[in-house]
Amino acid sequence: QQLLGLTLGGTHNFTHCTLANYWTASQRQDPAFVFTNYDSFQAVDLNAKFTNCILDGSQDEEFAFDLNSSKLGKYKYINCMLRTQKPTNDTAHYLSPFINQDAVFTDKTINDYRLSSTSFAIDKGTSTIPFVDKDITDYIRTLPADLGAYEFR
């Protein structure tokens, strides 16, 4: 049910990723994105950074955070589209977020997450270092780049 579980800490960097969970084979209860920095034996640091990403799904709330305060639980979303009801005004974690916008994918029912011409994600990217000059299909990104894995053609 979960699309991405960053569990038991670690360092993770995501740039121009499209992560979307529109599971329809059964009723999905859990959020698509889960972040923890401990288990029953230990707590460890978690560092996660997302830049120019689309993190989406079919539920109103797609994020769950369960962080042990004895260790670092650092996460940051920079210029990302997020499907969430959680507050996003904390600039330590959210920088220029786009909340609950419609990515308007080509056809999410068949997992085609290319952007359609009316997608909110078009031209919403910020400059990255290093610059990601091509999308997942090797298509050249233009500036401003689109959010997610696909540059609109």
Side-chain angles (χ1 to χ4, degrees):
Q1 289 190 359
Q2 295 163 355
L3 177 64
L4 177 65
L6 300 183
T7 59
L8 201 52
T11 299
H12 312 275
N13 289 301
F14 299 87
T15 303
H16 282 290
C17 293
T18 299
L19 303 169
N21 189 345
Y22 292 99
W23 175 260
T24 59
S26 63
Q27 183 70 15
R28 185 165 65 90
Q29 302 295 322
D30 295 332
F33 310 104
V34 176
F35 302 86
T36 67
N37 63 347
Y38 70 95
D39 64 11
S40 57
F41 301 104
Q42 63 183 332
V44 295
D45 291 343
L46 169 67
N47 290 288
K49 180 180 169 186
F50 298 81
T51 307
N52 290 341
C53 294
I54 299 172
L55 293 96
D56 204 2
S58 56
Q59 298 189 152
D60 290 339
E61 181 57 68
E62 289 290 4
F63 290 84
F65 298 94
D66 187 11
L67 301 172
N68 183 311
S69 61
S70 72
K71 289 291 183 174
L72 183 66
K74 183 177 176 185
Y75 57 93
K76 186 133 190 171
Y77 300 97
I78 303 168
N79 239 60
C80 293
M81 288 179 62
L82 309 172
R83 179 73 53 201
T84 186
Q85 303 301 313
K86 296 183 184 318
T88 58
N89 55 349
D90 180 356
T91 57
H93 298 294
Y94 304 94
L95 184 60
S96 300
F98 304 109
I99 306 304
N100 300 324
Q101 297 293 327
D102 192 352
V104 191
F105 296 118
T106 298
D107 191 347
K108 62 188 175 190
T109 63
I110 59 169
N111 301 319
D112 184 347
Y113 296 120
R114 291 175 295 146
L115 304 176
S116 68
S117 63
T118 58
S119 176
F120 179 87
I122 294 173
D123 292 343
K124 296 294 191 293
T126 188
S127 296
T128 60
I129 299 173
F131 177 64
V132 179
D133 62 340
K134 294 182 181 177
D135 75 1
I136 194 170
T137 66
D138 220 26
Y139 187 73
I140 295 174
R141 289 190 183 275
T142 58
L143 294 176
D146 300 340
L147 300 179
Y150 295 95
E151 185 75 8
F152 177 71
R153 298 177 190 215

